[in-house]
Amino acid sequence: MTADPITTSLTAIIEACYDDVTFEPGGGPSWERFRSLFLPEALLTLRLFPGDPEITVMDLDAYMVRQMREGMKEAGYSESIVQRRDLVYRNVAESRVIFHMKFGDTAPYTALNIFQLIHKGGRWWIVSVTSDILEPGEPIPAGVV
């Protein structure tokens, strides 16, 4: 069986994460493909929405439920990469991504994702994603990307 080209490229697998959670009003995320990018044991430690009081630790199933808060399906949602920096050593990688998250037609929020990945079985797997959201107007911290 040939590996999916998305999972054989570090750049492609990171970009796919953002593509898979982006959707037009009335649509929804591409959860099946999104799940295929991660090891089953992967952890997501995220501040999901602006104003969340703390970071939540979740598995993929919990994330998929929490990500679709009330009104999101109707409004649409997008994430787009602004800047990215990767560190790869043999079969491990870290990707730091500054991105914009946009809920419907509201102004975008800037956030940081830190992906940790392993290369196993001829492909990249996302092991974890840690994320936080910058306050409006807050500069991107020096050295992040």
Side-chain angles (χ1 to χ4, degrees), residues 48-119:
L48 275 172
F49 303 109
D52 281 356
E54 62 186 12
I55 290 179
T56 303
V57 179
M58 301 165 270
D59 63 13
L60 284 170
D61 291 329
Y63 170 74
M64 290 178 198
V65 170
R66 294 221 30 214
Q67 176 65 18
M68 293 303 293
R69 73 179 183 184
E70 186 175 332
M72 237 170 121
K73 183 175 177 88
E74 294 76 20
Y77 177 74
S78 69
E79 290 186 359
S80 58
I81 296 172
V82 176
Q83 291 177 275
R84 182 174 143 208
R85 184 175 77 184
D86 298 332
L87 168 67
V88 180
Y89 180 73
R90 296 184 186 173
N91 291 314
V92 297
E94 177 181 86
S95 184
R96 293 181 182 187
V97 180
I98 298 295
F99 68 101
H100 286 153
M101 56 192 324
K102 194 167 178 351
F103 303 89
D105 59 3
T106 64
Y109 288 87
T110 302
L112 165 69
N113 275 340
I114 302 171
F115 291 85
Q116 292 186 323
L117 304 95
I118 63 168
H119 195 268

Side-chain angles (χ1 to χ4, degrees), residues 1-10 12-14 16-17 20 32-40 42 60 90-93 117-127:
M1 182 162 89
T2 305
D4 182 343
I6 290 171
T7 62
T8 58
S9 160
L10 184 63
I13 195 170
I14 297 297
C17 278
D20 290 347
E32 187 175 326
R33 189 176 86 160
F34 183 80
R35 182 184 296 279
S36 76
L37 307 176
F38 291 79
L39 280 177
L60 284 170
R90 296 184 186 173
N91 291 314
V92 297
L117 304 95
I118 63 168
H119 195 268
K120 180 179 176 180
R123 61 159 287 177
W124 286 102
W125 294 93
I126 300 170
V127 175

